[in-house]
Amino acid sequence: QFSEINGFIGREEGPITVELPAGLHRIRAIRGFLWKPVEQEIRIAAGETADATLAFTEQPGRSGWHGQWKAGDHHLHMFFHGHTKYPLMTIPDVCHIAQAEGLDYISLQAEMAWVKQNVENNPDYVYDDLICEVAHEITTDFWGHVNYINVKHIPNLPAPLALWPVNFTFREEVEKYGGFLIYTHPFGHMTDENTAERLADQKIGLIARELPIDLLLGQQTMVDMLSSEGIYDLQYKMKLLERLWNLGFRFGVGGSSDCYVDQGVITPGGFRTYVNTEKNDFDSIAQAYRDAHTFATNGPLLDLTVNNQGPGREIRLDSPRVVSVRATAHSWWGLDRLEIVNNGNVVFYRDSPQEIAIGLNHTLSIEESGWIYASVWGPPSDELCNTLSNTQFAMTSPIWITVADRPQEIHQENVEFFRDWLHAVEKALPGYRERLTAAGEFGSEDYLRQCEDQAREFI
C-alpha cells in the first residue's frame, strides 16, 4: 500500500516497479498478522534501477495459531456508490488483496443479482488457498444489519425490509440450509447513559435493536466486536455482551472490516475473525461461528484455554473446583495488557511494556456456573490499516463452565436493563412506521400498520 496515494499495488505477475527519487529508501512489506513484517534499505542512483527482494520468514512460535485457526473477513464490499478509485476492480482482484492480507476466507456482500447468479456454488471462488463467497448484507436499519455467511439459499420472503420481516425470520430460513447471520456494526455511539434514548429514537439506524429478542427466542448468532463503527465504544460493547452472557445466553464474537475495496482506504481483514476449524470451507466456518470457536482482532493473536478447552467449548464440573487457565497473546506491533475475565470480573491480568508476546498461566477456583474469556490491548499502528483504529485489540469468545448441572445465577439488574431495552424499541415503532408511510415507498398505510402490529407482538 502506497502511503502517499493510499491505494493498492496492482496485481501484476513478476516484479513490481516503482519510481522513486534518487537517494536512500526503506521498503517495508506486511502480510497479515501471522508473518513478521519485513523491510530493507535500498539506495537508488539517479537514472538507475535497483532491485529489492523482501521475504517473509518468521511467524510466532506457538503452534496453536497455525493449522486449525483460519482468518477471515465476513463483511466486505467491492464497490460503493461513489468515491471509487478502482472502477474496473474484479472479484479475483479482491481475492488477491485478501490473500496478501493473510486471510483464508472472505464473504463478499454484493448486490442481490450477483447473489442469485452464484447461489448454487459454495465457495463461489477459489483463489489459491483462499475461498470466497458472494453473499448479501441484510440492511434492516431499524432492527440492525446482519451479514449472511454460507449462502446456499435466498429466502423467499416479502420485501422491502423495513419493519417486517425481522432478522429472526431470515435467520430461521437460512439456518435450514446451513447459513448463519452475524450482527455487524451493532451498537454505534451507545453508552449506559443513552442506551434507552437511542433505541427509542426512530431516526437512528443500524443499531442491533433485535439482538436480545433473537437470543430470548432461542436463536444463535454472533456479534462483531470489531467493525466499521470503530473501537471507541469497546468498553460499552464488552459490558453489554457480558450482561447477555450473565443471563445465560451463549454466543460468540467476531470482527469484520466493512471495507469498500474499490476505494483503497482500508484493507480487507483490518478487523477480522479467527475461527477454529479443521476445514477451510463455508459449512465448517459457519458451524464454528455457530459454536463460538472464534476470536476477533485488529492485530493481536490471542489464545485461551480452560482445562485445555478453547473458546466456545463447555466445561462441566460435578462440583466447585479449581481449573487451569492459560492465555497467550502475540503482536508484531507490541502489546500493553492481557486480561482474563470470569462472569464480568477481571480475575487475572498482565501489563506489558510493549512486548510482542505475553502470557498468563494460572489456576482459578470456580464456585458457580458461568463463563471465561480473554482480551488483549496494544499500541496503535498505522500499518494495520483499519477503520478508526486508536488501539490494538483482540477478544475471544467465552468458554462456558457448568457446575453441578446448575444454570448461571441471574442478576436482576441485567433483567431490568434488557426489559428497558425492549420497552425502548417498542417506543420507537410508531415514529418509524410514520416515517415509512411519509416516504411513500414502503407500502400502504394499512400495510405498514400491520407491520407495526407484527413487530409489537414480536417484541
Side-chain angles (χ1 to χ4, degrees), residues 270-320:
F271 297 145
R272 67 184 63 182
T273 301
Y274 273 86
V275 55
N276 197 303
T277 172
E278 288 186 21
K279 298 179 180 178
N280 193 41
D281 62 61
F282 285 107
D283 280 330
S284 301
I285 293 164
Q287 186 59 49
Y289 275 26
R290 195 174 288 112
D291 295 336
H293 301 326
T294 60
F295 71 87
T297 182
N298 69 348
L301 303 171
L302 182 57
D303 191 49
L304 170 70
T305 61
V306 177
N307 285 1
N308 296 317
Q309 298 295 311
R313 305 290 180 182
E314 182 182 22
I315 296 169
R316 303 187 70 86
L317 306 175
D318 55 11
S319 62

Side-chain angles (χ1 to χ4, degrees), residues 224-271:
D224 274 348
M225 275 296 296
L226 293 170
S227 66
S228 55
E229 65 189 4
I231 53 179
Y232 43 76
D233 58 347
L234 272 177
Q235 296 295 336
Y236 172 82
K237 291 165 74 171
M238 294 166 76
K239 185 175 180 181
L240 181 56
L241 297 193
E242 289 175 0
R243 287 181 183 275
L244 289 166
W245 293 332
N246 277 334
L247 287 171
F249 299 121
R250 296 186 176 187
F251 60 92
V253 297
S256 65
S257 68
D258 197 8
C259 168
Y260 292 90
V261 190
D262 68 305
Q263 296 179 35
V265 176
I266 61 174
T267 56
F271 297 145

Side-chain angles (χ1 to χ4, degrees), residues 75-348:
H75 187 186
L76 286 169
H77 303 274
M78 190 156 71
F79 293 112
F80 188 58
H81 307 295
H83 312 295
T84 185
K85 293 180 181 177
Y86 303 101
L88 301 182
M89 180 161 287
T90 66
I91 290 178
D93 290 333
V94 178
C95 291
H96 175 75
I97 294 165
Q99 187 186 54
E101 293 297 330
L103 298 177
D104 298 295
Y105 66 92
I106 56 174
S107 188
L108 196 59
Q109 310 300 304
E111 300 298 332
M112 185 54 73
W114 283 16
V115 182
K116 290 178 178 178
Q117 179 180 325
N118 290 279
V119 71
E120 300 300 326
N121 308 318
N122 195 283
D124 301 325
Y125 296 86
V126 177
Y127 191 89
D128 294 336
D129 294 330
L130 178 136
I131 59 172
C132 168
E133 69 170 353
V134 177
H136 186 61
E137 180 179 3
I138 300 173
T139 53
T140 47
D141 283 354
F142 185 83
W143 299 109
H145 287 200
V146 286
N147 287 124
Y148 193 169
I149 195 168
N150 198 27
V151 178
K152 296 181 179 178
H153 169 71
I154 301 172
N156 184 22
L157 292 169
L161 311 176
L163 269 179
W164 198 265
V166 290
N167 295 326
F168 180 92
T169 312
F170 279 85
R171 188 178 287 105
E172 264 191 332
E173 191 70 19
V174 304
E175 283 279 351
K176 298 175 185 176
Y177 300 86
F180 191 68
L181 298 186
I182 305 129
Y183 274 102
T184 189
H185 46 70
F187 303 125
H189 290 271
M190 292 169 71
T191 65
D192 269 345
E193 291 73 26
N194 72 13
T195 291
E197 176 186 350
R198 291 183 71 80
L199 290 169
D201 187 344
Q202 51 86 17
K203 296 186 295 296
I204 298 176
L206 305 182
I207 297 173
R209 289 180 171 91
E210 191 182 326
L211 170 63
I213 307 175
D214 293 347
L215 295 170
L216 281 161
L217 293 175
Q219 282 194 337
Q220 293 174 301
T221 187
M222 188 169 84
V223 176
D224 274 348
M225 275 296 296
L226 293 170
S227 66
S228 55
E229 65 189 4
I231 53 179
Y232 43 76
D233 58 347
L234 272 177
Q235 296 295 336
Y236 172 82
K237 291 165 74 171
M238 294 166 76
K239 185 175 180 181
L240 181 56
L241 297 193
E242 289 175 0
R243 287 181 183 275
L244 289 166
W245 293 332
N246 277 334
L247 287 171
F249 299 121
R250 296 186 176 187
F251 60 92
V253 297
S256 65
S257 68
D258 197 8
C259 168
Y260 292 90
V261 190
D262 68 305
Q263 296 179 35
V265 176
I266 61 174
T267 56
F271 297 145
R272 67 184 63 182
T273 301
Y274 273 86
V275 55
N276 197 303
T277 172
E278 288 186 21
K279 298 179 180 178
N280 193 41
D281 62 61
F282 285 107
D283 280 330
S284 301
I285 293 164
Q287 186 59 49
Y289 275 26
R290 195 174 288 112
D291 295 336
H293 301 326
T294 60
F295 71 87
T297 182
N298 69 348
L301 303 171
L302 182 57
D303 191 49
L304 170 70
T305 61
V306 177
N307 285 1
N308 296 317
Q309 298 295 311
R313 305 290 180 182
E314 182 182 22
I315 296 169
R316 303 187 70 86
L317 306 175
D318 55 11
S319 62
R321 62 182 56 201
V322 170
V323 296
S324 172
V325 181
R326 297 180 181 178
T328 307
H330 183 284
S331 173
W332 297 114
W333 297 272
L335 296 170
D336 292 330
R337 185 179 177 91
L338 174 63
E339 291 185 347
I340 306 294
V341 182
N342 174 217
N343 293 1
N345 301 308
V346 176
V347 289
F348 305 117

